[in-house]
C-alpha cells in the first residue's frame, strides 16, 4: 500500500490550498489527514469514512473540507482561510477494513506573508 500526497506549498494568510492523496490497493474504511508542526505532536486534522461521514479538529472547522473519491481511491483536503498556525507537515492516513493503518509521506504547508 502506498499513499502519495501532493499539493503543499507556501501561501499567504487568508489564502487557500488543496491537498490530495492517492492510495494504492483496495478501498479503505477510513482516510484522514494529520499534521505535525515543528516541536508539536501529530494531530488529526480531518477524517472521512468510506460512507462519507466526516469529523474535524475544532481548529479547522468551517475552514477545511475533507472529501474522498472511492472510485479513484483518493482523499483531498480543501483548506481555506489559512492561518500561520496551520503551518505544518500534512500527512495522509488510511485504515483498512481489517484495521491495518498506513501513512504517506508529509507534504509541507507554510502559511506566511
Amino acid at each position: 500500500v502506498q499513499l502519495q500526497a501532493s499539493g503543499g506549498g507556501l501561501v499567504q494568510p487568508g489564502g487557500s490550498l488543496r491537498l490530495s492523496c492517492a492510495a494504492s490497493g483496495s478501498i479503505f474504511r477510513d482516510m484522514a489527514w494529520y499534521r505535525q508542526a515543528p516541536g508539536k505532536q501529530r494531530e488529526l486534522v480531518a477524517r472521512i469514512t468510506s460512507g462519507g461521514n466526516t469529523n474535524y479538529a475544532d481548529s479547522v472547522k468551517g475552514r477545511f473540507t475533507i472529501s474522498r473519491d472511492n472510485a479513484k481511491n483518493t482523499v483531498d483536503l480543501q483548506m481555506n482561510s489559512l492561518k500561520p498556525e496551520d503551518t505544518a507537515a500534512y500527512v495522509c492516513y488510511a485504515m483498512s477494513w481489517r484495521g491495518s493503518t498506513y501513512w504517506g509521506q508529509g507534504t509541507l504547508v507554510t502559511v506566511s506573508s
Side-chain angles (χ1 to χ4, degrees):
V1 173
Q2 288 188 329
L3 302 174
Q4 185 68 41
S6 61
L10 173 64
V11 63
Q12 292 186 341
S16 298
L17 278 177
R18 188 176 185 88
L19 306 182
S20 185
C21 177
S24 65
S26 58
I27 300 299
F28 297 96
R29 190 187 77 183
D30 292 351
M31 300 186 80
W33 287 95
Y34 283 74
R35 68 185 180 188
Q36 187 166 16
K40 295 187 177 182
Q41 290 188 328
R42 181 175 290 183
E43 63 173 353
L44 174 68
V45 177
R47 190 177 186 120
I48 185 167
T49 68
S50 61
N53 294 318
T54 59
N55 63 283
Y56 296 89
D58 287 343
S59 59
V60 307
K61 283 181 181 177
R63 300 188 297 122
F64 291 11
T65 302
I66 190 170
S67 60
R68 67 187 286 178
D69 185 331
N70 290 333
K72 297 180 179 179
N73 221 2
T74 58
V75 59
D76 291 350
L77 184 69
Q78 178 65 43
M79 305 185 294
N80 299 328
S81 302
L82 282 160
K83 304 175 181 180
E85 51 263 43
D86 294 318
T87 296
Y90 284 71
V91 183
C92 181
Y93 162 95
M95 175 184 283
S96 73
W97 290 93
R98 291 186 175 184
S100 299
T101 59
Y102 304 92
W103 296 90
Q105 90 288 1
T107 184
L108 187 61
V109 172
T110 303
V111 184
S112 175
S113 55

